[in-house]
Amino acid sequence: MNIRQRTLGALGLLAALLLADPLRAERLVTDMTGRQVKIPDEVRRVYAVGHCIPMVGAVAPDKLANNFRLNETAKRFLSPQFYEGKVVPGVNSRMLSDEELVKLAPDLVIMEAMPGAAERADRLSARLQAPVLLIDQNMHSYKPAFAFLGGVLQRPEQGRALADFVAAHLDPIEEKARSIPADKRVRVYYAEGPDGLSTNPAGSSHTQLLDFVGGLNVAQVVNLPDEGMSSVSLEQLYLWQPDLILTWTPAADQLTTWKAVVESPLWQPVNAVKGGKVLQIPWIPFSWFDRPPGSNRILGAFWLARTLYPEVFPLDLTSLTREYFRLFYHQEISAAEVSYLLGLSTPQAAARR
């Protein structure tokens, strides 16, 4: 076969592949903000922006093109479909670079609906030459969000299963939480940042889980327009006197924030510290409370409700956690592994075991 024949054959094959490629066919969908967007008939590769990663992975981990940079412990608790072959941010970076975004080559982008998101979605769509859909990650919107993603990603049965789990196990928590009298609500401070002196107030997406389960956020600070962390002082903590402190830091496995709160003599005048009521938020494989404030909070709702109000919420955490991991992370875990995960919230007790 001469060069001309080989070239014509290759061109013919390419033409056949292009004509047969279902990605060339499109469908019109309406996203969760009412935007009408044309997307491929068959979605194969999804760029989930930030907070959307756990939710997209719950519906279709094989179609997820990217993920956070995960350590080996986190990977143990996820299906390999969540992390194998995914594009991740560079070391010491939380966001994908322009070069990494180009490597993604997604045929669909899923982004969180928030103020100004429509304009950002249009800009991102033009930049990546890919359609962008907005989803609502408010905790009250998980059922329609999973149903929507199930349809978009051609996994309707999985979307329904996730929505049914929310209806059966998450919705009753909020209903019961509403009945907790104001004077019986646990007063909580959410300690963020390496020194614990950053936080988010009630009404922020970053603390919605606390509001959801009936906790009282003591932080009397302004919810910043971009919902970033607000700085507070120890003097304010002395006045607020929370019953319980929840700690979070990106370096959760190093217990940076928890140690800063528990080990500093300057925190000892705070009753929660003095009384040993400082908890590290479980963080494997993603934080159970916030950052990202995504569907990973569903698991955190069981843990936090049971922690704050054990008599109101006598939940079987072992059973719920195992079911959650199976359904949302596509990974079977044992009762012993659940005990390990739950034990992360009490580092002192874990150290004694």
Side-chain angles (χ1 to χ4, degrees):
M1 185 181 293
N2 60 35
I3 294 175
R4 183 173 180 275
Q5 289 174 316
R6 287 199 298 269
T7 302
L8 288 174
L11 289 173
L13 178 60
L14 177 61
L17 288 172
L18 287 173
L19 288 172
D21 189 354
L23 290 177
R24 292 175 63 84
E26 293 182 325
R27 52 191 161 123
L28 185 67
V29 301
T30 302
D31 73 12
M32 296 187 73
T33 66
R35 297 166 63 251
Q36 289 196 317
V37 182
K38 286 183 178 180
I39 69 170
D41 241 3
E42 182 181 347
V43 175
R44 295 176 176 175
R45 191 167 173 81
V46 181
Y47 169 35
V49 181
H51 305 163
C52 301
I53 289 173
M55 183 171 276
V56 172
V59 177
D62 57 311
K63 299 189 179 193
L64 186 64
N66 63 299
N67 206 326
F68 304 109
R69 181 170 289 276
L70 302 171
N71 62 30
E72 292 306 311
T73 303
K75 290 178 182 178
R76 276 177 43 210
F77 290 88
L78 290 169
S79 162
Q81 289 186 318
F82 255 92
Y83 55 84
E84 288 185 347
K86 310 304 182 187
V87 177
V88 301
V91 178
N92 300 322
S93 175
R94 289 167 46 197
M95 304 293 292
L96 293 175
S97 67
D98 287 346
E99 182 182 349
E100 289 161 342
L101 284 173
V102 170
K103 282 170 55 180
L104 275 180
D107 48 46
L108 180 65
V109 178
I110 300 294
M111 186 172 168
E112 184 177 10
M114 57 178 62
E119 293 78 10
R120 290 196 295 274
D122 291 341
R123 291 196 299 270
L124 185 59
S125 178
R127 183 176 163 198
L128 296 181
Q129 292 297 295
V132 178
L133 296 178
L134 298 176
I135 60 168
D136 189 349
Q137 293 222 82
N138 186 292
M139 293 188 69
H140 302 103
S141 301
Y142 284 146
K143 286 179 293 186
F146 282 125
F148 172 73
L149 281 177
V152 166
L153 303 180
Q154 296 140 324
R155 299 289 165 79
E157 292 184 3
Q158 178 67 3
R160 281 194 297 272
L162 296 166
D164 289 347
F165 181 90
V166 170
H169 301 296
L170 184 66
D171 286 355
I173 289 178
E174 186 181 30
E175 292 170 15
K176 281 188 177 182
R178 290 196 191 105
S179 68
I180 300 172
D183 62 345
K184 300 294 184 184
R185 293 184 177 242
V186 179
R187 304 174 72 256
V188 181
Y189 172 66
Y190 176 34
E192 304 177 80
D195 61 0
L197 294 176
S198 297
T199 194
N200 291 94
S204 166
S205 66
H206 295 290
T207 55
Q208 187 184 21
L209 176 52
L210 181 57
D211 304 334
F212 192 91
V213 302
L216 180 63
N217 191 331
V218 300
Q220 299 174 26
V221 294
V222 175
N223 191 14
L224 300 177
D226 63 352
E227 291 207 329
M229 300 179 199
S230 296
S231 296
V232 301
S233 67
L234 280 168
E235 288 71 23
Q236 287 174 296
L237 267 299
Y238 298 160
L239 292 173
W240 295 337
Q241 287 300 339
D243 304 314
L244 177 74
I245 295 175
L246 299 175
T247 64
W248 175 90
T249 175
D253 55 341
Q254 299 174 33
L255 302 175
T256 307
T257 306
W258 184 85
K259 289 178 179 177
V261 172
V262 170
E263 296 176 358
S264 170
L266 297 176
W267 280 84
Q268 293 307 309
V270 180
N271 291 337
V273 179
K274 197 184 309 180
K277 301 292 185 180
V278 182
L279 298 181
Q280 167 65 50
I281 295 164
W283 67 89
I284 295 174
F286 309 111
S287 171
W288 292 23
F289 183 84
D290 176 34
R291 304 194 190 280
S295 58
N296 43 299
R297 296 179 296 178
I298 297 170
L299 178 60
F302 308 142
W303 167 74
L304 190 58
R306 180 75 172 78
T307 297
L308 297 184
Y309 307 108
E311 294 182 359
V312 178
F313 301 106
L315 303 172
D316 182 346
L317 289 183
T318 298
S319 175
L320 282 170
T321 302
R322 294 184 71 186
E323 185 176 357
Y324 180 92
F325 272 75
R326 178 187 62 78
L327 191 58
F328 287 76
Y329 295 150
H330 308 271
Q331 185 79 341
E332 298 284 351
I333 65 173
S334 67
E337 288 174 315
V338 174
S339 295
Y340 164 74
L341 294 172
L342 295 175
L344 296 173
S345 67
T346 53
Q348 287 171 321
R352 289 195 296 268
R353 285 198 290 269

